[in-house]
Amino acid sequence: MKLLIVDDAKLIHFLVKKILTANGFEDIEYADAFDGNQAISMAKEFKPDLILLDVVMPEKDGLEALKVIKEDNSTMNVIMVSSLGTEEKVSEAIKLGANAFIQKPFDEEELSNHVRNVI
């Protein structure tokens, strides 16, 4: 499986990899992006099976990036991740085609279950 992690906090990249490895996800090829523009270009280049996409980031936010990513590839699997889990943001993300929405801080079981359900 190919997983693109998009978050402006390097700690989140580390935690996601640690959590997934600890929960039995092996043979994952990871790629990292740190803003919405990088997310869009990496989605095209890396062709991930799943993108974990933060909402609040510099340059281009996650919702703007999601819209472009889904326009380019409507079947791309995307889980939105944010500490700003307002109903409005969740609703917008789902309308734009996100498969799920995880609230930070997420726990191991929640993240693992969402990844399993999407892939």
Side-chain angles (χ1 to χ4, degrees), residues 2-108:
K2 294 171 80 172
L3 175 63
L4 174 59
I5 303 168
V6 185
D7 198 296
D8 56 324
K10 289 183 180 182
L11 177 62
I12 296 298
H13 294 255
F14 170 79
L15 288 174
V16 167
K17 293 171 187 175
K18 182 179 175 187
I19 288 169
L20 293 179
T21 300
N23 283 276
F25 289 90
E26 298 173 8
D27 300 325
I28 295 179
E29 185 179 344
Y30 293 100
D32 298 302
F34 299 92
D35 65 47
N37 290 326
Q38 289 179 351
I40 293 165
S41 63
M42 289 297 296
K44 290 178 186 175
E45 293 171 30
F46 184 60
K47 298 182 183 6
D49 299 302
L50 174 61
I51 300 173
L52 291 179
L53 181 59
D54 189 22
V55 173
V56 180
M57 294 181 294
E59 302 292 323
K60 186 181 294 276
D61 75 19
L63 293 174
E64 293 172 313
L66 175 64
K67 184 176 181 183
V68 174
I69 290 167
K70 286 298 212 169
E71 285 171 358
D72 289 343
N73 182 349
S74 64
T75 62
M76 181 67 65
N77 293 311
V78 180
I79 297 175
M80 300 302 293
V81 181
S82 182
S83 55
L84 297 176
T86 65
E87 282 188 39
E88 181 183 313
K89 297 280 186 197
V90 173
S91 176
E92 188 174 349
I94 299 302
K95 284 180 189 170
L96 290 171
N99 299 79
F101 197 102
I102 301 175
Q103 182 95 20
K104 289 182 196 174
F106 45 80
D107 66 21
E108 290 188 27

